[in-house]
Amino acid sequence: MTLIKSISGIRGTIGGPTGDTLNPLDIVKFTSAYATFIAAKSGKPGKIIVGRDARISGEMVKNVVCGTLMGMGFDVINIGLATTPTTELAVRMSGADGGIIITASHNPRQWNALKLLNSEGEFLTAADGAEVLSIAEREAFTYADVDALGHYTEDDSFDERHIQSVLDLRLVDVEAIKKAHFRVCVDSINSVGGIILPKLLDRLGVTYKVLNGVANGDFAHNPEPLEKNLGGIMGELRGGGYDLGIVVDPDVDRLAFICEDGRMFGEEYTLVSVADYVLSGLSSNSSSSSLSSLSSSSSSSSNSSKLTTVSNLSSTRALRDVTAKHGGAYYASAVGEVNVTTKMKEVGAVIGGEGNGGVIYPESHYGRDALVGIALFLSNLAHKGCKVSELRATYPNYFMAKNRMDLTPDTDVDAILAKIKKQYEGAEDSTTGTRVQVTDIDGVKIDFADKWVHLRKSNTEPIIRIYTEASTIDEADALGNQIIGIIEGMMKN
Protein backbone atom coordinates (compact mmCIF):
# COMPACT_ATOMS: atom_id res chain seq x y z
CA MET A 1 0.00 0.00 0.00
CA THR A 2 1.55 3.32 -1.07
CA LEU A 3 -1.33 5.74 -0.44
CA ILE A 4 -0.25 7.96 2.45
CA LYS A 5 -2.74 10.38 3.95
CA SER A 6 -1.25 12.89 6.35
CA ILE A 7 -1.90 16.35 7.75
CA SER A 8 0.25 17.81 4.96
CA GLY A 9 -1.67 16.20 2.08
CA ILE A 10 -2.07 12.94 0.24
CA ARG A 11 0.60 11.11 -1.77
CA GLY A 12 1.13 7.76 -3.39
CA THR A 13 2.07 5.90 -6.54
CA ILE A 14 -0.14 6.19 -9.59
CA GLY A 15 -2.43 3.29 -10.53
CA GLY A 16 -3.91 0.38 -8.65
CA PRO A 17 -7.01 -0.21 -6.52
CA THR A 18 -8.95 2.46 -4.67
CA GLY A 19 -7.68 3.21 -1.19
CA ASP A 20 -4.34 1.56 -1.92
CA THR A 21 -2.61 3.96 -4.35
CA LEU A 22 -3.09 7.49 -5.66
CA ASN A 23 -6.04 7.19 -8.05
CA PRO A 24 -8.86 9.44 -9.31
CA LEU A 25 -11.43 8.34 -6.71
CA ASP A 26 -9.15 9.11 -3.76
CA ILE A 27 -8.07 12.38 -5.39
CA VAL A 28 -11.74 13.41 -5.67
CA LYS A 29 -12.42 12.48 -2.06
CA PHE A 30 -9.45 14.34 -0.63
CA THR A 31 -9.92 17.41 -2.85
CA SER A 32 -13.59 17.56 -1.83
CA ALA A 33 -12.60 17.45 1.84
CA TYR A 34 -10.09 20.25 1.35
CA ALA A 35 -12.67 22.38 -0.51
CA THR A 36 -15.16 21.81 2.31
CA PHE A 37 -12.59 22.92 4.86
CA ILE A 38 -11.67 26.07 2.91
CA ALA A 39 -15.32 26.99 2.34
CA ALA A 40 -15.96 26.73 6.07
CA LYS A 41 -12.96 28.98 6.77
CA SER A 42 -13.92 31.67 4.23
CA GLY A 43 -17.68 31.40 4.65
CA LYS A 44 -18.37 30.29 1.07
CA PRO A 45 -16.70 28.69 -1.93
CA GLY A 46 -14.22 31.15 -3.36
CA LYS A 47 -11.07 30.89 -5.46
CA ILE A 48 -8.36 28.20 -5.46
CA ILE A 49 -4.97 28.25 -7.22
CA VAL A 50 -3.77 24.99 -8.80
CA GLY A 51 -0.17 24.49 -9.95
CA ARG A 52 1.84 21.38 -10.74
CA ASP A 53 5.32 20.13 -11.46
CA ALA A 54 6.09 18.28 -14.70
CA ARG A 55 5.38 14.73 -13.52
CA ILE A 56 3.98 12.42 -16.17
CA SER A 57 0.81 11.92 -14.11
CA GLY A 58 0.39 15.65 -13.46
CA GLU A 59 -2.03 16.35 -16.30
CA MET A 60 -4.38 13.59 -15.17
CA VAL A 61 -4.26 14.63 -11.52
CA LYS A 62 -4.72 18.30 -12.43
CA ASN A 63 -7.87 17.54 -14.44
CA VAL A 64 -9.40 15.58 -11.56
CA VAL A 65 -8.50 18.24 -8.99
CA CYS A 66 -9.78 21.17 -11.05
CA GLY A 67 -13.04 19.42 -11.96
CA THR A 68 -13.67 18.47 -8.35
CA LEU A 69 -13.06 22.01 -7.10
CA MET A 70 -15.48 23.37 -9.69
CA GLY A 71 -17.99 20.74 -8.62
CA MET A 72 -17.64 22.05 -5.07
CA GLY A 73 -18.48 25.56 -6.29
CA PHE A 74 -14.94 27.00 -6.34
CA ASP A 75 -13.49 29.11 -9.11
CA VAL A 76 -10.19 27.60 -10.23
CA ILE A 77 -7.13 29.45 -11.50
CA ASN A 78 -4.83 26.92 -13.14
CA ILE A 79 -1.31 28.36 -13.32
CA GLY A 80 -0.01 25.32 -15.20
CA LEU A 81 3.54 24.02 -14.84
CA ALA A 82 4.82 25.94 -11.83
CA THR A 83 7.18 25.54 -8.91
CA THR A 84 5.92 25.04 -5.38
CA PRO A 85 7.07 28.54 -4.29
CA THR A 86 5.48 30.07 -7.41
CA THR A 87 2.16 28.46 -6.51
CA GLU A 88 2.47 29.64 -2.91
CA LEU A 89 3.08 33.21 -4.05
CA ALA A 90 0.25 33.00 -6.60
CA VAL A 91 -2.23 32.37 -3.77
CA ARG A 92 -1.19 35.61 -2.08
CA MET A 93 -0.83 37.64 -5.25
CA SER A 94 -4.28 36.67 -6.51
CA GLY A 95 -6.07 36.95 -3.15
CA ALA A 96 -7.18 33.31 -3.40
CA ASP A 97 -8.69 31.33 -0.54
CA GLY A 98 -6.16 28.53 -0.89
CA GLY A 99 -4.10 26.48 -3.27
CA ILE A 100 -3.24 22.92 -4.26
CA ILE A 101 0.24 22.02 -5.47
CA ILE A 102 0.35 18.79 -7.47
CA THR A 103 3.84 17.46 -6.77
CA ALA A 104 5.55 14.62 -4.94
CA SER A 105 8.62 16.79 -4.42
CA HIS A 106 11.79 14.64 -4.58
CA ASN A 107 9.97 11.29 -4.84
CA PRO A 108 10.52 9.17 -8.00
CA ARG A 109 8.47 9.55 -11.20
CA GLN A 110 5.74 7.01 -10.27
CA TRP A 111 4.70 9.13 -7.28
CA ASN A 112 2.47 12.18 -7.13
CA ALA A 113 0.79 14.13 -4.35
CA LEU A 114 -1.47 17.01 -3.37
CA LYS A 115 0.05 19.66 -1.10
CA LEU A 116 -2.50 21.94 0.51
CA LEU A 117 -2.20 25.69 1.12
CA ASN A 118 -4.18 28.21 3.16
CA SER A 119 -5.09 31.73 2.08
CA GLU A 120 -1.58 32.97 2.96
CA GLY A 121 -0.05 30.53 0.50
CA GLU A 122 1.38 28.50 3.38
CA PHE A 123 0.99 24.83 4.26
CA LEU A 124 -1.88 23.94 6.56
CA THR A 125 -1.17 23.65 10.26
CA ALA A 126 -1.31 20.25 11.92
CA ALA A 127 -4.76 21.01 13.35
CA ASP A 128 -6.13 22.16 9.99
CA GLY A 129 -4.64 19.16 8.21
CA ALA A 130 -6.23 16.84 10.76
CA GLU A 131 -9.59 18.49 10.10
CA VAL A 132 -9.27 17.85 6.34
CA LEU A 133 -8.46 14.19 7.07
CA SER A 134 -11.52 13.94 9.30
CA ILE A 135 -13.78 15.45 6.63
CA ALA A 136 -12.40 13.02 4.05
CA GLU A 137 -12.88 10.03 6.34
CA ARG A 138 -16.51 11.01 7.06
CA GLU A 139 -17.13 12.07 3.45
CA ALA A 140 -18.77 15.14 4.95
CA PHE A 141 -19.03 17.19 1.78
CA THR A 142 -21.80 18.37 -0.53
CA TYR A 143 -21.39 19.32 -4.19
CA ALA A 144 -22.78 22.45 -5.83
CA ASP A 145 -25.92 22.46 -7.96
CA VAL A 146 -25.76 23.39 -11.64
CA ASP A 147 -26.17 27.13 -11.08
CA ALA A 148 -23.45 27.27 -8.45
CA LEU A 149 -20.64 25.42 -10.23
CA GLY A 150 -17.26 27.12 -10.21
CA HIS A 151 -15.48 28.65 -13.19
CA TYR A 152 -12.13 27.68 -14.69
CA THR A 153 -9.43 30.07 -15.93
CA GLU A 154 -5.76 29.77 -16.79
CA ASP A 155 -3.05 32.30 -15.90
CA ASP A 156 0.58 31.86 -16.93
CA SER A 157 1.82 35.19 -15.56
CA PHE A 158 3.04 33.99 -12.17
CA ASP A 159 6.52 32.80 -13.21
CA GLU A 160 7.39 36.34 -14.21
CA ARG A 161 5.73 37.81 -11.12
CA HIS A 162 7.66 35.39 -8.92
CA ILE A 163 10.97 36.29 -10.58
CA GLN A 164 10.28 40.01 -10.25
CA SER A 165 9.50 39.60 -6.55
CA VAL A 166 12.90 37.90 -6.10
CA LEU A 167 14.74 40.65 -7.98
CA ASP A 168 13.00 43.26 -5.81
CA LEU A 169 14.35 41.81 -2.54
CA ARG A 170 16.62 44.37 -0.89
CA LEU A 171 19.58 42.04 -0.41
CA VAL A 172 19.46 40.68 -3.97
CA ASP A 173 22.15 42.74 -5.73
CA VAL A 174 21.29 42.35 -9.41
CA GLU A 175 23.98 44.75 -10.63
CA ALA A 176 26.72 43.02 -8.64
CA ILE A 177 25.66 39.65 -10.06
CA LYS A 178 25.68 41.01 -13.61
CA LYS A 179 29.15 42.50 -13.17
CA ALA A 180 30.49 39.16 -11.89
CA HIS A 181 29.71 37.45 -15.23
CA PHE A 182 28.99 34.11 -13.59
CA ARG A 183 29.00 30.93 -15.66
CA VAL A 184 26.78 28.23 -14.19
CA CYS A 185 25.53 24.75 -15.00
CA VAL A 186 21.99 23.84 -13.94
CA ASP A 187 20.40 20.41 -13.46
CA SER A 188 16.62 20.88 -13.48
CA ILE A 189 15.75 17.12 -13.51
CA ASN A 190 13.35 17.47 -16.48
CA SER A 191 10.79 19.35 -14.44
CA VAL A 192 9.62 22.92 -13.91
CA GLY A 193 13.06 24.23 -12.94
CA GLY A 194 13.91 23.93 -16.62
CA ILE A 195 11.23 26.52 -17.35
CA ILE A 196 11.72 29.15 -14.66
CA LEU A 197 15.44 29.04 -13.81
CA PRO A 198 16.63 30.14 -17.29
CA LYS A 199 14.27 33.11 -17.03
CA LEU A 200 15.71 34.05 -13.64
CA LEU A 201 19.32 33.64 -14.79
CA ASP A 202 18.63 35.72 -17.90
CA ARG A 203 17.37 38.55 -15.71
CA LEU A 204 20.50 38.25 -13.54
CA GLY A 205 22.86 38.37 -16.52
CA VAL A 206 24.24 34.89 -15.81
CA THR A 207 25.63 32.65 -18.57
CA TYR A 208 24.31 29.11 -18.15
CA LYS A 209 23.96 25.61 -19.51
CA VAL A 210 20.94 23.50 -18.52
CA LEU A 211 21.15 19.74 -18.12
CA ASN A 212 17.89 17.76 -18.14
CA GLY A 213 15.99 20.90 -19.06
CA VAL A 214 12.93 19.47 -20.86
CA ALA A 215 9.92 19.68 -18.52
CA ASN A 216 8.44 16.28 -19.43
CA GLY A 217 8.58 14.59 -16.01
CA ASP A 218 10.81 11.78 -17.28
CA PHE A 219 13.43 12.30 -14.57
CA ALA A 220 16.96 11.64 -15.83
CA HIS A 221 18.09 10.30 -12.43
CA ASN A 222 16.79 9.94 -8.89
CA PRO A 223 15.31 13.40 -8.31
CA GLU A 224 16.51 13.90 -4.73
CA PRO A 225 19.40 16.43 -4.96
CA LEU A 226 21.97 14.30 -3.11
CA GLU A 227 25.59 13.70 -4.14
CA LYS A 228 24.97 10.04 -5.03
CA ASN A 229 22.42 11.15 -7.67
CA LEU A 230 24.38 14.02 -9.23
CA GLY A 231 27.28 12.36 -11.05
CA GLY A 232 26.31 13.98 -14.36
CA ILE A 233 26.48 17.62 -13.31
CA MET A 234 29.45 17.00 -11.00
CA GLY A 235 31.34 15.58 -13.98
CA GLU A 236 30.33 18.58 -16.08
CA LEU A 237 31.78 20.93 -13.44
CA ARG A 238 35.00 18.93 -13.19
CA GLY A 239 35.49 19.52 -16.92
CA GLY A 240 36.02 23.23 -16.17
CA GLY A 241 34.52 26.41 -17.55
CA TYR A 242 31.96 27.02 -14.78
CA ASP A 243 31.90 29.05 -11.58
CA LEU A 244 29.06 27.10 -10.01
CA GLY A 245 26.61 24.23 -10.35
CA ILE A 246 22.93 24.61 -9.36
CA VAL A 247 20.63 21.65 -8.66
CA VAL A 248 16.93 21.72 -7.77
CA ASP A 249 14.34 19.04 -7.11
CA PRO A 250 11.24 18.59 -9.33
CA ASP A 251 9.16 21.30 -7.61
CA VAL A 252 12.10 23.71 -7.00
CA ASP A 253 11.79 24.19 -3.26
CA ARG A 254 15.09 22.41 -2.50
CA LEU A 255 18.44 23.76 -3.66
CA ALA A 256 21.97 22.36 -3.79
CA PHE A 257 25.18 23.91 -5.09
CA ILE A 258 28.29 22.35 -6.63
CA CYS A 259 31.71 23.96 -6.39
CA GLU A 260 33.64 25.02 -9.47
CA ASP A 261 35.86 21.90 -9.14
CA GLY A 262 32.92 19.47 -9.15
CA ARG A 263 32.77 18.87 -5.39
CA MET A 264 29.46 19.23 -3.56
CA PHE A 265 29.02 22.45 -1.61
CA GLY A 266 26.78 20.39 0.70
CA GLU A 267 23.01 20.68 0.82
CA GLU A 268 23.20 21.36 4.56
CA TYR A 269 25.28 24.44 3.73
CA THR A 270 22.83 26.02 1.26
CA LEU A 271 20.91 27.62 4.14
CA VAL A 272 24.11 28.31 6.11
CA SER A 273 25.70 30.34 3.29
CA VAL A 274 22.54 32.28 2.45
CA ALA A 275 21.89 33.02 6.13
CA ASP A 276 25.48 34.24 6.54
CA TYR A 277 24.93 36.72 3.72
CA VAL A 278 21.57 37.90 5.05
CA LEU A 279 22.88 38.30 8.60
CA SER A 280 25.98 40.16 7.40
CA GLY A 281 23.83 42.47 5.29
CA LEU A 282 21.53 43.25 8.19
CA SER A 283 24.26 43.62 10.80
CA SER A 284 26.27 45.97 8.55
CA ASN A 285 23.13 48.06 8.00
CA SER A 286 21.83 47.92 11.55
CA SER A 287 19.23 50.66 11.30
CA SER A 288 16.15 49.63 13.22
CA SER A 289 13.90 50.33 10.27
CA SER A 290 15.82 47.91 8.05
CA LEU A 291 15.60 45.05 10.51
CA SER A 292 12.16 45.68 11.90
CA SER A 293 10.59 45.78 8.46
CA LEU A 294 11.90 42.28 7.83
CA SER A 295 10.48 41.00 11.09
CA SER A 296 7.30 43.00 11.65
CA SER A 297 5.11 40.82 9.48
CA SER A 298 6.28 37.65 11.20
CA SER A 299 6.21 38.31 14.92
CA SER A 300 5.33 40.86 17.53
CA SER A 301 7.63 39.24 20.11
CA SER A 302 10.65 40.95 21.63
CA ASN A 303 12.82 38.65 19.53
CA SER A 304 11.89 40.62 16.40
CA SER A 305 14.69 43.10 17.16
CA LYS A 306 17.36 40.38 16.92
CA LEU A 307 19.22 38.74 14.09
CA THR A 308 17.35 35.50 14.58
CA THR A 309 17.49 32.25 12.60
CA VAL A 310 15.63 28.93 12.72
CA SER A 311 16.21 25.45 11.34
CA ASN A 312 14.87 22.05 12.33
CA LEU A 313 16.47 19.75 14.87
CA SER A 314 18.02 17.50 12.20
CA SER A 315 19.84 20.35 10.43
CA THR A 316 23.52 21.18 10.76
CA ARG A 317 24.88 22.99 13.79
CA ALA A 318 26.75 25.30 11.38
CA LEU A 319 23.71 27.61 11.18
CA ARG A 320 23.85 28.13 14.94
CA ASP A 321 27.57 28.91 14.72
CA VAL A 322 27.16 31.40 11.86
CA THR A 323 24.27 33.09 13.66
CA ALA A 324 26.36 33.44 16.81
CA LYS A 325 29.21 34.94 14.76
CA HIS A 326 26.88 37.78 13.80
CA GLY A 327 25.66 38.23 17.38
CA GLY A 328 22.28 36.69 16.61
CA ALA A 329 20.03 34.13 18.26
CA TYR A 330 19.42 30.65 16.84
CA TYR A 331 16.33 28.49 17.53
CA ALA A 332 15.50 24.92 16.56
CA SER A 333 12.08 23.59 15.57
CA ALA A 334 10.53 20.20 15.07
CA VAL A 335 11.15 18.64 11.65
CA GLY A 336 8.73 19.74 8.91
CA GLU A 337 8.38 22.98 6.98
CA VAL A 338 5.23 24.11 8.80
CA ASN A 339 7.02 23.60 12.14
CA VAL A 340 9.96 25.69 10.93
CA THR A 341 7.75 28.54 9.73
CA THR A 342 5.70 28.46 12.94
CA LYS A 343 8.88 28.85 14.99
CA MET A 344 10.17 31.57 12.66
CA LYS A 345 7.02 33.60 13.22
CA GLU A 346 7.19 33.02 16.96
CA VAL A 347 10.76 34.34 17.31
CA GLY A 348 10.74 36.86 14.45
CA ALA A 349 13.43 35.08 12.43
CA VAL A 350 14.94 36.98 9.51
CA ILE A 351 15.80 33.72 7.73
CA GLY A 352 15.33 30.02 8.32
CA GLY A 353 14.80 26.71 6.64
CA GLU A 354 15.88 23.11 6.57
CA GLY A 355 19.16 21.33 6.02
CA ASN A 356 17.83 19.58 2.91
CA GLY A 357 18.54 22.73 0.91
CA GLY A 358 15.35 24.59 1.83
CA VAL A 359 15.68 28.37 2.25
CA ILE A 360 12.79 30.30 3.83
CA TYR A 361 13.10 34.08 3.64
CA PRO A 362 10.17 35.95 5.23
CA GLU A 363 10.75 39.14 3.25
CA SER A 364 9.62 37.07 0.27
CA HIS A 365 7.23 34.53 1.81
CA TYR A 366 7.04 31.71 4.35
CA GLY A 367 7.96 28.84 2.06
CA ARG A 368 11.11 27.11 0.82
CA ASP A 369 12.15 28.85 -2.38
CA ALA A 370 15.13 27.86 -4.55
CA LEU A 371 14.84 31.06 -6.64
CA VAL A 372 15.30 33.20 -3.54
CA GLY A 373 18.20 30.99 -2.46
CA ILE A 374 19.93 31.27 -5.85
CA ALA A 375 19.61 35.06 -6.01
CA LEU A 376 20.90 35.58 -2.46
CA PHE A 377 23.75 33.08 -2.92
CA LEU A 378 24.91 34.73 -6.15
CA SER A 379 24.74 38.13 -4.44
CA ASN A 380 26.94 36.80 -1.64
CA LEU A 381 29.40 35.29 -4.11
CA ALA A 382 29.54 38.50 -6.15
CA HIS A 383 30.26 40.61 -3.08
CA LYS A 384 32.97 38.28 -1.79
CA GLY A 385 34.63 37.87 -5.18
CA CYS A 386 35.86 34.37 -4.37
CA LYS A 387 35.44 30.86 -5.74
CA VAL A 388 32.57 28.72 -4.45
CA SER A 389 35.02 26.26 -2.89
CA GLU A 390 36.72 29.15 -1.08
CA LEU A 391 33.36 30.36 0.22
CA ARG A 392 32.57 26.86 1.52
CA ALA A 393 35.89 26.79 3.39
CA THR A 394 34.84 29.83 5.45
CA TYR A 395 32.08 27.91 7.23
CA PRO A 396 32.34 25.49 10.17
CA ASN A 397 32.96 21.98 8.90
CA TYR A 398 30.60 19.32 10.18
CA PHE A 399 29.81 15.84 8.91
CA MET A 400 26.45 14.12 9.19
CA ALA A 401 25.60 10.42 9.29
CA LYS A 402 22.10 9.07 8.78
CA ASN A 403 21.07 5.64 10.05
CA ARG A 404 17.85 3.78 10.72
CA MET A 405 16.83 0.89 12.93
CA ASP A 406 14.17 -1.45 11.57
CA LEU A 407 12.02 -2.77 14.39
CA THR A 408 9.16 -5.22 14.67
CA PRO A 409 5.56 -3.95 14.46
CA ASP A 410 4.99 -4.71 18.15
CA THR A 411 8.01 -2.68 19.32
CA ASP A 412 7.07 0.19 21.62
CA VAL A 413 9.11 2.91 19.93
CA ASP A 414 7.85 5.62 22.29
CA ALA A 415 9.07 3.62 25.28
CA ILE A 416 12.52 3.28 23.71
CA LEU A 417 12.76 7.02 23.09
CA ALA A 418 11.60 7.73 26.65
CA LYS A 419 14.37 5.50 28.02
CA ILE A 420 16.99 7.20 25.87
CA LYS A 421 15.81 10.57 27.10
CA LYS A 422 15.91 9.45 30.73
CA GLN A 423 19.39 7.96 30.31
CA TYR A 424 20.89 11.21 29.01
CA GLU A 425 18.95 13.78 31.04
CA GLY A 426 21.39 15.22 33.54
CA ALA A 427 24.30 13.28 32.01
CA GLU A 428 27.73 14.89 31.91
CA ASP A 429 29.59 15.60 28.69
CA SER A 430 32.89 13.72 28.98
CA THR A 431 34.81 16.34 26.99
CA THR A 432 33.70 19.45 28.88
CA GLY A 433 32.20 18.27 32.16
CA THR A 434 29.02 20.20 31.41
CA ARG A 435 25.56 18.68 31.15
CA VAL A 436 24.35 17.49 27.78
CA GLN A 437 21.21 19.15 26.43
CA VAL A 438 18.20 16.95 25.74
CA THR A 439 15.30 18.16 23.56
CA ASP A 440 12.06 16.19 23.10
CA ILE A 441 9.85 18.41 20.93
CA ASP A 442 10.34 15.95 18.05
CA GLY A 443 11.64 12.56 19.12
CA VAL A 444 14.78 12.94 21.23
CA LYS A 445 17.81 15.07 20.40
CA ILE A 446 20.95 14.93 22.54
CA ASP A 447 23.38 17.83 22.15
CA PHE A 448 26.96 17.28 23.29
CA ALA A 449 29.60 20.00 23.23
CA ASP A 450 31.10 18.82 19.93
CA LYS A 451 28.37 16.60 18.36
CA TRP A 452 24.70 15.68 18.47
CA VAL A 453 22.32 12.80 17.81
CA HIS A 454 18.64 13.05 16.86
CA LEU A 455 16.27 10.08 17.09
CA ARG A 456 12.83 10.20 15.45
CA LYS A 457 10.23 7.53 14.94
CA SER A 458 8.42 7.06 11.64
CA ASN A 459 4.66 7.67 11.59
CA THR A 460 4.10 5.03 8.91
CA GLU A 461 6.46 2.13 9.71
CA PRO A 462 8.26 0.62 12.75
CA ILE A 463 11.63 2.32 12.41
CA ILE A 464 13.75 4.85 14.27
CA ARG A 465 15.75 7.33 12.21
CA ILE A 466 19.07 8.22 13.83
CA TYR A 467 20.88 11.34 12.59
CA THR A 468 24.28 12.29 14.02
CA GLU A 469 26.66 15.16 13.36
CA ALA A 470 30.26 15.70 14.46
CA SER A 471 33.51 17.31 13.31
CA THR A 472 34.50 14.14 11.38
CA ILE A 473 32.42 11.48 9.65
CA ASP A 474 34.09 8.79 11.78
CA GLU A 475 32.92 10.52 14.96
CA ALA A 476 29.41 10.89 13.56
CA ASP A 477 29.30 7.21 12.60
CA ALA A 478 30.67 6.19 16.00
CA LEU A 479 27.98 8.16 17.84
CA GLY A 480 25.25 6.64 15.67
CA ASN A 481 26.56 3.12 16.30
CA GLN A 482 26.79 3.85 20.03
CA ILE A 483 23.11 4.81 20.16
CA ILE A 484 22.13 1.78 18.05
CA GLY A 485 24.00 -0.44 20.51
CA ILE A 486 22.18 1.13 23.46
CA ILE A 487 18.78 0.56 21.81
CA GLU A 488 19.67 -3.05 20.96
CA GLY A 489 20.59 -3.60 24.59
CA MET A 490 17.27 -2.14 25.73
CA MET A 491 15.37 -4.44 23.39
CA LYS A 492 17.21 -7.53 24.64
CA ASN A 493 16.31 -6.63 28.21
Side-chain angles (χ1 to χ4, degrees), residues 1 61 82 95 158 163 165 196 226 299 304 333 375 407 464 473 477 483:
M1 182 174 184
V61 178
F158 288 101
I163 290 169
S165 74
I196 196 169
L226 302 176
S299 174
S304 63
S333 76
L407 309 171
I464 297 178
I473 190 61
D477 282 330
I483 295 297

Side-chain angles (χ1 to χ4, degrees), residues 14 48 54 91 129 165 177 190 239 242 252 290 358 371 385 485:
I14 297 298
I48 300 291
V91 172
S165 74
I177 295 172
N190 289 334
Y242 298 101
V252 199
S290 173
L371 276 72

Side-chain angles (χ1 to χ4, degrees), residues 14 51 101 128 132 163 197 209 211 270 304 365 371 396 402-403 415:
I14 297 298
I101 311 167
D128 288 346
V132 173
I163 290 169
L197 293 188
K209 176 180 179 179
L211 306 180
T270 298
S304 63
H365 65 118
L371 276 72
K402 299 181 180 182
N403 295 284

Side-chain angles (χ1 to χ4, degrees), residues 162-455:
H162 182 185
I163 290 169
Q164 188 60 53
S165 74
V166 172
L167 301 181
D168 289 340
L169 295 172
R170 281 168 293 166
L171 291 179
V172 171
D173 194 335
V174 177
E175 291 308 311
I177 295 172
K178 288 181 177 179
K179 289 178 181 177
H181 301 292
F182 289 122
R183 301 157 299 168
V184 308
C185 185
V186 178
D187 185 347
S188 61
I189 196 61
N190 289 334
S191 192
V192 291
I195 298 173
I196 196 169
L197 293 188
K199 298 176 183 177
L200 172 68
L201 296 175
D202 283 337
R203 296 287 298 276
L204 291 171
V206 173
T207 301
Y208 58 88
K209 176 180 179 179
V210 179
L211 306 180
N212 308 314
V214 180
N216 59 13
D218 191 8
F219 303 147
H221 53 76
N222 185 307
E224 190 165 13
L226 302 176
E227 181 173 359
K228 63 183 180 181
N229 303 324
L230 302 177
I233 188 171
M234 292 173 71
E236 185 80 18
L237 268 291
R238 284 192 292 269
Y242 298 101
D243 300 301
L244 171 68
I246 297 173
V247 182
V248 293
D249 65 342
D251 67 325
V252 199
D253 63 352
R254 289 176 60 174
L255 172 64
F257 296 116
I258 300 172
C259 299
E260 77 287 344
D261 56 8
R263 291 181 294 128
M264 291 294 293
F265 189 81
E267 66 166 354
E268 288 285 335
Y269 285 82
T270 298
L271 174 60
V272 174
S273 60
V274 173
D276 180 43
Y277 172 65
V278 169
L279 294 171
S280 64
L282 294 176
S283 59
S284 63
N285 180 18
S286 58
S287 68
S288 60
S289 60
S290 173
L291 181 56
S292 63
S293 61
L294 275 175
S295 304
S296 60
S297 63
S298 60
S299 174
S300 59
S301 73
S302 60
N303 290 312
S304 63
S305 61
K306 299 179 181 178
L307 296 172
T308 307
T309 65
V310 172
S311 64
N312 68 43
L313 287 170
S314 287
S315 297
T316 180
R317 185 178 280 185
L319 179 62
R320 182 202 68 178
D321 296 349
V322 165
T323 305
K325 179 187 74 173
H326 291 285
Y330 166 78
Y331 295 86
S333 76
V335 173
E337 182 173 337
V338 69
N339 296 317
V340 175
T341 57
T342 297
K343 190 67 175 180
M344 289 178 68
K345 294 175 183 178
E346 176 189 329
V347 302
V350 295
I351 192 167
E354 299 181 290
N356 60 10
V359 175
I360 303 173
Y361 190 44
E363 187 184 351
S364 174
H365 65 118
Y366 279 104
R368 297 182 302 183
D369 192 332
L371 276 72
V372 169
I374 290 168
L376 291 172
F377 186 89
L378 291 177
S379 297
N380 188 22
L381 198 62
H383 286 179
K384 285 188 166 63
C386 63
K387 295 180 179 179
V388 175
S389 59
E390 293 169 343
L391 177 63
R392 175 63 179 81
T394 65
Y395 300 123
N397 214 23
Y398 293 109
F399 295 85
M400 192 175 292
K402 299 181 180 182
N403 295 284
R404 57 181 275 173
M405 286 193 69
D406 293 277
L407 309 171
T408 60
D410 58 345
T411 302
D412 190 340
V413 179
D414 289 323
I416 291 174
L417 294 179
K419 288 181 180 179
I420 293 287
K421 176 188 173 185
K422 184 176 180 180
Q423 179 168 333
Y424 281 94
E425 276 185 326
E428 189 175 277
D429 191 317
S430 59
T431 60
T432 63
T434 59
R435 285 189 175 184
V436 300
Q437 180 181 343
V438 179
T439 307
D440 64 355
I441 61 172
D442 184 2
V444 177
K445 184 176 183 181
I446 306 159
D447 271 293
F448 302 91
D450 58 350
K451 56 196 172 187
W452 58 259
V453 56
H454 187 202
L455 297 87

